[in-house]
């Protein structure tokens, strides 16, 4: 593991610890002012900017305080000279969630850039698999078919 990969891993692990602790300042640390986040809940076109990112966390903290988990299970980091990405799987749910779907994992992808020598998260994407879609290719085909063209 390179020094940059270690620094990024440490940043992400500290972020996850801050999330678990409900520490908003800690969650915001290491994020760019122009962060873009695509999250599980709306808005569907994402959240842009650190002020909007900040507003997404208090409801999540309340949910966590009611007994939910937020634990990194796996984390992979790839770092270049001034940009990097990471992807992780997290256990993120309530005991009821895991009773119904024990294998459920939150998928996390992060884009980072080096700003003044420090790694910062500039893109964050959270998602859960959607098992209600029996054939994802049919969904893609339906979304990309132009009804006016006959294709």
């Amino acid at each position: 593991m390179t020094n940059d990969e270690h620094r990024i891993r440490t940043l992400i692990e500290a972020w996850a610890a801050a999330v678990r602790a409900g520490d908003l300042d800690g969650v915001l640390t290491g994020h760019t002012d122009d962060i873009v986040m695509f999250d599980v809940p709306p808005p569907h076109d994402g959240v842009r900017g650190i002020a909007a990112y900040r507003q997404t966390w208090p409801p999540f903290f309340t949910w966590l305080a009611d007994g939910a988990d937020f634990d990194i299970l796996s984390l992979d980091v790839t770092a270049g000279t001034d940009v990097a990405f990471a992807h992780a799987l997290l256990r993120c749910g309530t005991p009821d969630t895991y009773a119904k779907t024990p294998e459920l994992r939150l998928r996390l992808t992060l884009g980072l850039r080096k700003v003044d020598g420090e790694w910062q998260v500039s893109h964050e994407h959270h998602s859960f698999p959607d098992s209600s879609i029996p054939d994802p290719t049919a969904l893609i085909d339906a979304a990309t078919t132009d009804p006016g063209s006959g294709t």
Side-chain angles (χ1 to χ4, degrees), residues 3-150:
N3 184 47
D4 280 332
E5 289 168 345
H6 177 73
R7 289 171 57 199
I8 291 166
R9 178 177 288 277
T10 300
L11 172 70
I12 295 167
E13 290 170 347
W15 168 81
V19 170
R20 284 191 302 276
D23 173 8
L24 185 57
D25 289 336
V27 169
L28 301 176
T29 298
H31 286 72
T32 62
D33 288 340
D34 63 347
I35 183 168
V36 174
M37 179 179 68
F38 298 120
D39 203 356
V40 173
H44 298 290
D45 58 350
V47 171
R48 288 164 169 58
I50 197 72
Y53 180 78
R54 169 189 288 274
Q55 293 175 346
T56 67
W57 286 102
F60 191 77
F61 294 155
T62 300
W63 179 75
L64 281 175
D66 288 339
D69 295 324
F70 191 83
D71 299 309
I72 296 174
L73 301 177
S74 67
L75 174 60
D76 293 296
V77 176
T78 302
T81 304
D82 56 1
V83 293
F85 69 91
H87 56 88
L89 293 175
L90 289 84
R91 185 172 163 88
C92 180
T94 64
D96 287 344
T97 301
Y98 291 114
K100 296 174 192 165
T101 317
E103 72 282 357
L104 184 65
R105 299 294 178 261
L106 175 69
R107 302 173 296 195
L108 172 67
T109 305
L110 301 169
L112 301 97
R113 65 181 187 246
K114 202 178 269 187
V115 178
D116 297 328
E118 296 296 323
W119 287 104
Q120 295 188 357
V121 176
S122 59
H123 178 79
E124 192 170 311
H125 189 137
H126 314 145
S127 68
F128 284 106
D130 186 350
S131 59
S132 71
I133 302 171
D135 179 2
T137 58
L139 181 65
I140 293 167
D141 290 343
T144 58
T145 301
D146 179 358
S149 70

